[in-house]
Amino acid sequence: MKISNLGYLLKEGIRGIFLRGFMSFAAVCVTVACLVIVGSFASLVYNVSVIVEDLNETSEIRVFIDETLSDAEAKSVHTKINQLGDNIKECVFVSKEQALEDFVADHDYDPAFDGLEPDYLRHRCVVVLEDNTQMRETADAILAVPGVADITAEFELAEGFSMVQQVLQVVSIAVISVLLVVSLLIISNTVKLAMYDRRDEIAIMKMVGATNGFIRFPFMVEGFILGMLGAAIAFGLEWLMYDGLVAKINELEGEMELFSFVPFETLLVPMVCTFAAAGLFVGIVGSWTSIRKFMDV
Amino acid sequence: MIEFIDVVKSYSVGNQALKGVSLQIEDGEFVFLVGPSGSGKSTIIKLITGELRPTSGSVHVNGYSLERIRKREIPYLRRTIGVVFQDFRLIDTKTVYDNVAFAMRVIGAKEKEIRERVPYLLELVGLDNKSRRHPGELSGGEQQRLAIARALVNNPSTIIADEPTGNLDPARSFEIMSLLQEINKLGTTMLVVTHAQDLVEQFSNRVIVIEDGLIASDGMEGYYSYENQ
Ligand SMILES: Nc1ncnc2c1ncn2[C@@H]1O[C@H](COP(=O)(O)OP(=O)(O)OP(=O)(O)O)[C@@H](O)[C@H]1O
Ligand SMILES: [Mg+2]
């Protein structure tokens, strides 16, 4: 394919869009509809997962250290826990003095606790885990560390959140894949219909000795432009809808602030990339696979 | 040059369209290929254009060996052959001029060459005053002449025509045959499939008769000799 023909090939591609105006319109509409559905679902899932993630961050294990140990020995227990493995995200040592202070502060400095001695309490560590599904295993490992007297943790709650997160992940991946496959099928069928219109033209091109690349190129240009157009429109729509919906929900919530939504700006870059990739894929793969059927002459 | 050596073509097991055909057509020849319906004429043409591959035997066309040609070489083979069909196969949304120019554009010709060559060919087939029309506005004979101009535009060494006059009345048919004879005199090898026996007899060309997948006769004596056997 010579560079001097590029102008002709591009012109043919663009001409094709207008020549088959209705088909082009249909292909763009289908792309937009599919991408908006996928995009909305993905942003919903993302927001829910951020909320669940935030809640799960509060799951922690409290480790109480044997009160017969000296302060230095207690600190070394903390170090041992810290070295326990990958699942320890954070392990903060809280001395009994600090713990008492926190306790009194938590109770609004109630005079009832005035005479309380730090020795009523034990040195402790507050452990936050990387992966809360392993909470029980990690808790057992911590208990096995010499010098650890006791631990407390909300196992059921943490497991519940982890479960929700996992289910959400699996379901969303499944639904998004299905939506993408369905979109691709619909779009490739739309392109195929458009292509069927031109099978005579393709047969003539083959007859006079056009190479497959030369025949395909204008169709690819057409598919590319339609795919990108669909992606751009879908992106704009998604943005408007998202911001509109978030504003509406915030208004309804008023002061309550039950849920805070991720601002669209956070989703912007991944969404632009995904939509552009999907548009490109759908446009080019959609037209390529459908041309192939008419190429074997 | 077109050469078939002992060519067998079966579409499916036990259904042989060609049962061992050998023939040779030299550059610059004009050959009629005749025979009853279903005898294998279109099969021979499809083997020449690379649309089909022989089941056995070998086919040589303008320097290409069709039994082992690679897929991506086929377009280059086809540029050495111009094909004309009974149903013209023109693009109705393009003008007469663009139907011919299209065939040059899709093999990557330069605009300047196109502007020189297309009017020359439209004049050759007598359509120079109708270049802005669309195929639908032309008579059957004119449409076939347009198809011939398109087949010629990339300067092929060979023209193959499958029933080029099948849709035309006797006067138009004679006109088209005469046009093909003239083009042949300019040096293009011509292979014409036809049912029109009377038409064949008006020209003194080599006639290959095929019957039931085999060559029944081949020579300058025309259709008569075969009929009178
Ligand atoms: N695609 C195909 N699949 C199976 N059989 C085929 C196919 N094309 C042709 N045939 C068979 O091969 C034989 C030769 O067909 P071909 O088209 O070459 O005949 P023809 O001489 O061109 O006939 P006509 O004069 O009617 O055009 C016929 O028996 C036909 O039924
Ligand atoms: Mg036939």
Side-chain angles (χ1 to χ4, degrees):
Chain A
M1 188 179 312
K2 286 169 245 151
I3 275 298
S4 63
N5 303 123
L6 205 65
Y8 168 73
L9 290 169
L10 289 174
K11 214 167 66 191
E12 274 296 291
I14 294 166
R15 199 179 74 100
I17 293 174
F18 293 102
L19 208 66
R20 284 166 295 282
F22 176 73
M23 271 302 165
S24 309
F25 177 73
V28 170
C29 287
V30 171
T31 314
V32 169
C34 293
L35 283 180
V36 164
I37 292 171
V38 172
S40 307
F41 186 76
S43 8
L44 176 74
V45 166
Y46 183 71
N47 270 293
V48 172
S49 73
V50 165
I51 292 169
V52 173
E53 178 86 42
D54 282 351
L55 291 173
N56 208 0
E57 284 273 294
T58 60
S59 302
E60 54 189 30
I61 301 178
R62 282 164 185 277
V63 183
F64 299 102
I65 296 166
D66 193 336
E67 64 267 33
T68 58
L69 297 182
S70 70
D71 286 2
E73 282 167 335
K75 285 236 171 67
S76 82
V77 171
H78 164 248
T79 316
K80 279 197 199 114
I81 294 173
N82 229 342
Q83 289 163 349
L84 219 46
D86 291 339
N87 202 21
I88 310 286
K89 184 179 186 180
E90 198 181 88
C91 175
V92 180
F93 182 79
V94 181
S95 65
K96 48 191 173 193
E97 293 77 14
Q98 180 66 45
L100 178 66
E101 219 171 275
D102 291 348
F103 178 81
V104 175
D106 274 352
H107 290 84
D108 294 331
Y109 302 95
D110 192 326
F113 300 118
D114 265 356
L116 217 55
E117 287 294 318
D119 281 341
Y120 281 121
L121 301 175
R122 290 178 287 194
H123 292 309
R124 60 197 61 188
C125 297
V126 177
V127 182
V128 178
L129 302 185
E130 286 288 352
D131 176 8
N132 281 323
T133 57
Q134 309 272 323
M135 197 177 223
R136 280 182 200 270
E137 288 86 337
T138 312
D140 286 343
I142 293 172
L143 255 183
V145 173
V148 173
D150 197 9
I151 61 170
T152 61
E154 303 265 19
F155 290 117
E156 284 78 16
L157 200 62
E159 277 163 1
F161 280 133
S162 300
M163 178 81 110
V164 169
Q165 266 178 321
Q166 274 173 335
V167 169
L168 201 65
Q169 220 166 43
V170 171
V171 169
S172 63
I173 288 173
V175 172
I176 289 172
S177 321
V178 169
L179 283 176
L180 276 178
V181 169
V182 169
S183 314
L184 200 70
L185 283 178
I186 296 174
I187 291 163
S188 116
N189 266 311
T190 315
V191 179
K192 215 177 288 171
L193 276 177
M195 210 68 74
Y196 187 73
D197 254 21
R198 305 180 72 175
R199 66 199 184 285
D200 295 340
E201 206 173 310
I202 294 174
I204 292 168
M205 289 167 98
K206 298 226 64 154
M207 189 182 79
V208 300
T211 57
N212 284 354
F214 208 99
I215 296 173
R216 211 178 268 138
F217 198 85
F219 288 103
M220 303 294 251
V221 170
E222 200 175 323
F224 171 79
I225 293 175
L226 293 181
M228 290 322 262
L229 195 67
I233 295 174
F235 177 74
L237 267 179
E238 189 71 50
W239 194 340
L240 286 178
M241 276 170 36
Y242 189 92
D243 275 355
L245 205 68
V246 168
K248 192 81 198 155
I249 289 174
N250 283 342
E251 192 186 300
L252 286 177
E253 274 186 353
E255 294 296 293
M256 295 192 304
E257 286 265 340
L258 278 178
F259 304 108
S260 59
F261 286 88
V262 179
F264 192 79
E265 284 68 27
T266 327
L267 299 172
L268 200 132
V269 172
M271 198 165 296
V272 166
C273 294
T274 321
F275 276 31
L280 201 76
F281 185 74
V282 150
I284 291 193
V285 173
S287 38
W288 198 76
T289 52
S290 16
I291 310 165
R292 232 180 28 179
K293 295 213 181 349
F294 300 96
M295 284 291 241
D296 283 327
V297 182
Chain B
M1 193 188 73
I2 299 171
E3 187 180 35
F4 277 50
I5 304 170
D6 213 16
V7 173
V8 172
K9 174 68 199 177
S10 10
Y11 285 99
S12 55
V13 183
N15 171 20
Q16 284 188 344
L18 298 181
K19 298 170 176 168
V21 168
S22 297
L23 58 85
Q24 190 162 337
I25 299 169
E26 300 295 338
D27 288 343
E29 266 195 283
F30 190 119
V31 178
F32 282 119
L33 180 60
V34 300
S37 186
S39 55
K41 304 181 297 293
S42 296
T43 304
I44 288 180
I45 289 198
K46 286 176 184 162
L47 285 167
I48 294 173
T49 58
E51 243 177 278
L52 296 175
R53 278 175 194 245
T55 309
S56 71
S58 56
V59 178
H60 302 286
V61 178
N62 298 334
Y64 292 90
S65 293
L66 275 288
E67 69 275 13
R68 57 164 173 272
I69 193 168
R70 272 186 275 169
K71 252 193 163 168
R72 58 187 170 78
E73 285 178 321
I74 288 182
Y76 301 96
L77 160 75
R78 288 188 181 160
R79 291 176 195 189
T80 71
I81 307 168
V83 191
V84 178
F85 293 97
Q86 177 173 355
D87 57 0
F88 320 134
R89 304 199 187 174
L90 301 166
I91 302 171
D92 283 326
T93 53
K94 292 189 195 292
T95 62
V96 165
Y97 179 94
D98 279 329
N99 262 280
V100 180
F102 177 69
M104 289 186 81
R105 289 203 182 100
V106 298
I107 67 160
K110 290 197 182 71
E111 253 340 280
K112 183 169 168 290
E113 296 170 61
I114 295 172
R115 276 197 301 274
E116 283 167 9
R117 181 129 178 103
V118 176
Y120 163 73
L121 279 158
L122 289 179
E123 198 189 322
L124 184 73
V125 300
L127 287 175
D128 41 339
N129 55 346
K130 301 204 160 138
S131 64
R132 298 269 143 243
R133 300 277 187 86
H134 285 262
E137 302 167 297
L138 302 179
S139 73
E142 287 168 335
Q143 290 189 44
Q144 194 57 300
R145 280 188 271 148
L146 174 55
I148 291 169
R150 182 184 61 196
L152 281 171
V153 79
N154 290 322
N155 209 6
S157 64
T158 311
I159 292 278
I160 291 174
D162 196 351
E163 308 262 8
T165 61
N167 278 332
L168 305 177
D169 60 51
R172 299 302 128 225
S173 298
F174 186 79
E175 206 181 282
I176 292 294
M177 261 342 152
S178 307
L179 177 62
L180 293 178
Q181 299 275 345
E182 272 169 50
I183 292 164
N184 169 247
K185 292 211 179 75
L186 297 173
T188 312
T189 313
M190 197 70 65
L191 176 61
V192 180
V193 170
T194 184
H195 268 123
Q197 189 181 324
D198 49 333
L199 202 59
V200 171
E201 279 150 15
Q202 293 179 46
F203 299 92
S204 51
N205 296 119
R206 176 179 165 195
V207 181
I208 299 175
V209 183
I210 182 157
E211 199 165 73
D212 198 19
L214 289 167
I215 292 185
S217 84
D218 179 355
M220 302 298 293
E221 303 78 23
Y223 215 17
Y224 270 131
S225 67
Y226 166 67
E227 292 278 282
N228 297 336
Q229 265 173 13

